[in-house]
Amino acid sequence: MATDARGLTTEPAVRVRNLHRSFNSDGGVLNGLDLDIAPGEFVALIGRSGTGKSTLLRALAGLDRDVAGHGRIQVPESVSVVFQDSRLLPWKRVLDNVVFGLRGAGAADRGRKALAEVGLAGRERAWPYQLSGGEQQRASLARSLVREPQLLLADEPFGALDALTRIRMHALLRRLCETHRPAVLLVTHDVDEAIVLADRVILLDAGVVDTDVRVELTNRSRSDAGFAELRSLLLDRLGVAADA
């Protein structure tokens, strides 16, 4: 059970118990998985391809309707998802994309504020094709966070970006999460990205949690000894040489 800064018991934002999911007779993708994520906690989920990372995210997002009855899933009412593809509607301008589906007279103002938070003030009337890949992902983040979600699910959101843009997006995501304080589950194949961003890194293997470690680093620089030690541990659990 999670505790807050005062040591008081708090209910997890996400609770998964004994979750199973299979798609054919060859075996399960998820095999009795258990997971808790505390309110405001940033968890990165890593693992080899086919170990159930995106399957779990889709289940938490409510995108897998057939998962019902295969375990117990508890998530907050307000959940937003960010994908590798920004999934902006090309026929709507940027502000209209951000506030799409929002109700109320203040929706446009909320959208403008969200765009300013991600560094896109002044681009409200732009079309999605006029934005760079990094700007499109910024708009996607604004669209997710304008709804003030209690849980933010991110599936390889920076995988298609160049290295420099990814570094900038890492800093932006950390800052936004510190401001809005959603629980976050980030699916990534990048061990370094997981360590830079997360409070905890969870490694899935064979559809269950294989490794669960807290990132307790004051310096998240790749040159830091603690960073290198944690990176080596996670790469070893993935079966990859630390100098890869």
Side-chain angles (χ1 to χ4, degrees):
M1 186 70 69
T3 57
D4 64 15
R6 297 168 296 172
L8 300 177
T9 300
T10 59
E11 283 295 315
V14 173
R15 174 175 285 163
V16 179
R17 291 292 181 271
N18 197 34
L19 183 61
H20 292 78
R21 189 70 173 101
S22 61
F23 298 97
N24 52 50
S25 60
D26 295 335
V29 178
L30 298 175
N31 295 295
L33 185 140
D34 293 334
L35 173 67
D36 284 351
I37 301 176
E41 185 177 31
F42 196 130
V43 174
L45 193 64
I46 63 174
R48 301 180 185 88
S49 295
T51 56
K53 301 184 301 298
S54 292
T55 299
L56 173 60
L57 183 140
R58 288 178 57 83
L60 296 178
L63 300 175
D64 182 358
R65 297 187 179 182
D66 293 329
V67 78
H70 296 275
R72 186 158 62 90
I73 298 175
Q74 173 187 312
V75 296
E77 287 187 14
S78 177
V79 179
S80 287
V81 187
V82 181
F83 297 96
Q84 183 173 350
D85 179 347
S86 68
R87 304 197 179 190
L88 299 177
L89 301 175
W91 58 87
K92 287 186 175 290
R93 296 184 187 271
V94 170
L95 178 60
D96 294 330
N97 265 283
V98 169
V99 302
F100 184 72
L102 283 184
R103 307 288 184 183
D109 287 339
R110 290 168 60 188
R112 292 187 188 95
K113 181 179 178 182
L115 283 169
E117 276 193 294
V118 301
L120 289 178
R123 306 303 304 275
E124 294 87 353
R125 298 289 297 166
W127 296 102
Y129 77 86
Q130 296 176 308
L131 303 183
S132 68
E135 288 174 331
Q136 289 180 20
Q137 282 302 84
R138 287 172 180 262
S140 180
L141 277 174
R143 180 179 57 192
S144 291
L145 292 173
V146 76
R147 289 156 176 77
E148 292 293 342
Q150 297 165 286
L151 173 62
L152 177 65
L153 301 169
D155 193 1
E156 296 275 356
F158 312 130
L161 304 179
D162 64 83
L164 182 58
T165 303
R166 288 183 75 173
I167 291 171
R168 291 171 175 162
M169 291 299 292
H170 290 165
L172 173 64
L173 181 58
R174 284 291 301 185
R175 178 172 59 79
L176 290 172
C177 288
E178 288 169 2
T179 299
H180 293 270
R181 300 303 299 166
V184 181
L185 181 67
L186 167 73
V187 170
T188 179
H189 283 93
D190 188 333
V191 169
D192 286 15
E193 179 172 85
I195 299 172
V196 165
L197 290 173
D199 303 313
R200 282 166 65 205
V201 179
I202 292 176
L203 189 154
L204 291 191
D205 188 36
V208 296
V209 173
D210 172 272
T211 304
D212 185 344
V213 294
R214 296 205 65 82
V215 182
E216 297 176 329
L217 301 175
T218 55
N219 182 1
R220 299 205 182 210
S221 167
R222 290 166 176 80
S223 62
D224 181 73
F227 189 107
E229 182 179 353
L230 181 53
R231 181 177 189 269
S232 179
L233 168 68
L234 293 170
L235 288 175
D236 180 67
R237 297 302 301 167
L238 286 166
V240 179
D243 58 354

